Amino acid sequence: MQKTRTEASQLRNLFIQADELERVSRQLESDPEPEAATSLLENKAQARRHLRDSFKKARPLVFERMFAGLEGATAERDDMALALLLLNRRIREGDAGLCGRELLWLLYDNSYDVLAAVPRLGPKGALARAKLVVSWPDPDLESHDLLDQVYALAPEAYDRVIGSDSGSAADEGLPFSDSIDHALGLYEYAQTHQRRAAKVFIEGLWRSDYGEPEETIESLDAEIDRMKADINRRHAKASNPELFSLTSLKSDFGLSGVELLMVVQLLLQEALGGQGSIDAIDLLRLVSRSERDLLRKRALLAEDSKLIQMGIVVLDEGYADRGLTGQASLNGWVTQRLLDDPLAQKQEIEVDERIQFHKYLGDLHNSADFYRRLD
């Protein structure tokens, strides 16, 4: 799948940081003078910190896809950083691999943190469970210690990365394989909307964090239209697409494409980035083409809107009880349903009851009417 410019920029910065970290590490291995060593240690600490913080701020979808096979768990930023270092070594030096001790000392700066990170290299770690690494004993050492094993990016994982980099037209037409693939495709679509919002609106979340200088609103509108058509084709080609969790939610509640995109943004920013809520107005900016369009789109989160009435999106009270000045988040049952939680069915029944009760309350005129209906 072809990368967006934002993701390509993120990946470029990550590889630059990985190269810098390896460069400084090699210089330290050359036994420099004490003063130079002190400076190099500071540079290494800074490069390491920047690398790890980069995965905290933004996680390119290629890394999310690499770890998409994990069941019942998510990859942490340090797992992604280790995968990046192995990918970087594979590109620079082939499939020779890295000793576990060398790999961990690239990312950590003291023995305690290295020891605490050893399980990340083991069979229960995210790297092994996602089938991203292969390992073998160091021929010069007679040891089965995880630190003395040699680790390399698995050929299949490397092929997936190279395939996603190719951006061929044939790759773009591949059908969605499952609910996760579908959700990630829609989230990439949402990220393009983020970049457009960064160009359209003077204020807001997207303005400060997203977008490329050379992009225009017109070019982003065209890219959004292209991606929408591609998503529709891939969805139509999929086996049983009606069973995809987002598709069934859209069908069951009669959501529009715009409403579904808002759900996707809330779901994936929580599942991938740990951010459970967003300013309601920024969620509306995401799906608006202009300030005039934003004023119209406010109805999507009004008190009588489908997303609010059905209990799909929750708004806090905000300033002076004006919901759009507060935070928006997905209701818990929605997240459970979309992530295939076994409790989802029970939660759906409960939310149906809440919707009926909400409508019942809406028909009441006052407390006296409530007590009359009890009789």
Side-chain angles (χ1 to χ4, degrees):
M1 177 180 293
Q2 191 172 21
K3 291 182 177 60
T4 64
R5 291 181 181 179
T6 298
E7 186 183 9
S9 177
Q10 292 170 353
L11 279 173
R12 182 176 183 274
N13 289 335
L14 285 170
F15 278 119
I16 290 174
Q17 291 164 9
D19 283 336
E20 176 65 11
L21 188 55
E22 288 215 38
R23 183 187 67 80
V24 175
S25 297
R26 285 195 299 271
Q27 288 180 326
L28 281 168
E29 292 171 1
S30 65
D31 195 23
E33 295 294 328
E35 185 176 345
T38 300
S39 177
L40 287 171
L41 284 171
E42 293 175 355
N43 291 343
K44 183 177 180 181
Q46 185 180 39
R48 183 191 294 116
R49 185 168 57 253
H50 286 168
L51 179 64
R52 297 174 73 195
D53 286 349
S54 292
F55 278 108
K56 184 177 181 180
K57 296 174 182 176
R59 300 182 177 191
L61 288 177
V62 63
F63 286 94
E64 298 295 351
R65 293 191 185 99
M66 288 172 72
F67 287 93
L70 288 177
E71 296 181 359
T74 57
E76 298 177 358
R77 58 174 176 164
D78 282 10
D79 296 315
M80 293 189 177
L82 290 171
L84 171 67
L85 292 171
L86 290 174
L87 174 58
N88 196 53
R89 178 58 66 98
R90 172 66 175 80
I91 293 171
R92 289 171 59 91
E93 301 184 20
D95 55 4
L98 269 167
C99 174
R101 184 173 283 99
E102 181 183 357
L103 175 61
L104 293 183
W105 274 105
L106 278 173
L107 196 59
Y108 303 98
D109 59 4
N110 62 75
S111 297
Y112 178 83
D113 288 344
V114 167
L115 183 62
V118 168
R120 295 186 187 277
L121 302 180
K124 295 183 179 180
L127 291 167
R129 292 174 58 198
K131 298 180 174 59
L132 293 182
V133 297
V134 291
S135 63
W136 59 89
D138 189 324
D140 297 328
L141 299 172
E142 294 182 3
S143 171
H144 295 289
D145 191 321
L146 290 175
L147 288 174
D148 294 326
Q149 301 290 301
V150 178
Y151 299 86
L153 196 69
E156 296 82 2
Y158 180 68
D159 289 343
R160 289 203 300 271
V161 174
I162 297 302
S164 67
D165 270 341
S166 65
S168 67
D171 286 341
E172 289 190 15
L174 291 176
F176 291 117
S177 58
D178 53 28
S179 289
I180 293 177
D181 194 26
H182 181 225
L184 289 174
L186 286 171
Y187 190 49
E188 190 170 10
Y189 181 52
Q191 288 180 317
T192 307
H193 283 72
Q194 294 170 11
R195 288 155 50 207
R196 183 180 67 184
K199 297 292 183 183
V200 172
F201 300 105
I202 297 175
E203 299 176 329
L205 171 65
W206 318 122
R207 187 72 186 183
S208 59
D209 292 341
Y210 295 86
E212 298 294 331
E214 68 274 14
E215 292 178 327
T216 65
I217 296 174
E218 292 75 16
S219 67
L220 287 167
D221 282 340
E223 184 173 350
I224 285 172
D225 291 341
R226 180 193 62 75
M227 292 184 71
K228 180 179 180 179
D230 184 53
I231 286 171
N232 289 338
R233 283 194 298 270
R234 297 179 66 201
H235 186 271
K237 291 180 180 179
S239 299
N240 301 317
E242 69 279 0
L243 299 181
F244 292 167
S245 57
L246 283 165
T247 302
S248 65
L249 182 80
K250 180 182 180 183
S251 175
D252 290 348
F253 290 90
L255 301 181
S256 68
V258 171
E259 290 166 330
L260 186 68
L261 188 64
M262 295 165 71
V263 170
V264 168
Q265 176 64 40
L266 292 173
L267 175 71
L268 272 296
Q269 73 173 27
E270 178 181 353
L272 302 181
Q275 184 181 357
S277 63
I278 185 176
D279 285 350
I281 194 66
D282 280 324
L283 186 60
L284 292 174
R285 287 185 178 118
L286 177 78
V287 296
S288 300
R289 291 176 175 267
S290 64
E291 292 180 343
R292 180 184 293 272
D293 192 31
L294 175 61
L295 293 176
R296 290 195 295 265
K297 292 286 173 57
R298 290 173 65 90
L300 292 171
L301 291 179
E303 187 176 347
D304 59 350
S305 67
K306 188 173 295 183
L307 290 174
I308 302 302
Q309 282 287 307
M310 296 295 183
I312 295 172
V313 172
V314 178
L315 296 179
D316 68 17
E317 291 184 351
Y319 176 73
D321 295 333
R322 293 196 291 271
L324 294 185
T325 63
Q327 296 276 304
S329 60
L330 279 186
N331 212 328
W333 69 266
V334 182
T335 303
Q336 290 175 350
R337 167 175 171 152
L338 294 177
L339 298 181
D340 296 327
D341 191 297
L343 296 177
Q345 185 176 356
K346 179 177 183 295
Q347 293 290 335
E348 288 172 36
I349 295 173
E350 291 176 351
V351 82
D352 285 342
E353 293 171 352
R354 288 200 298 272
I355 292 170
Q356 292 174 6
F357 186 62
H358 183 84
K359 292 179 178 178
Y360 167 75
L361 292 178
D363 292 336
L364 295 177
H365 299 293
N366 50 44
S367 59
D369 189 21
F370 172 74
Y371 286 111
R372 280 196 300 273
R373 295 195 185 196
L374 286 179
D375 297 333

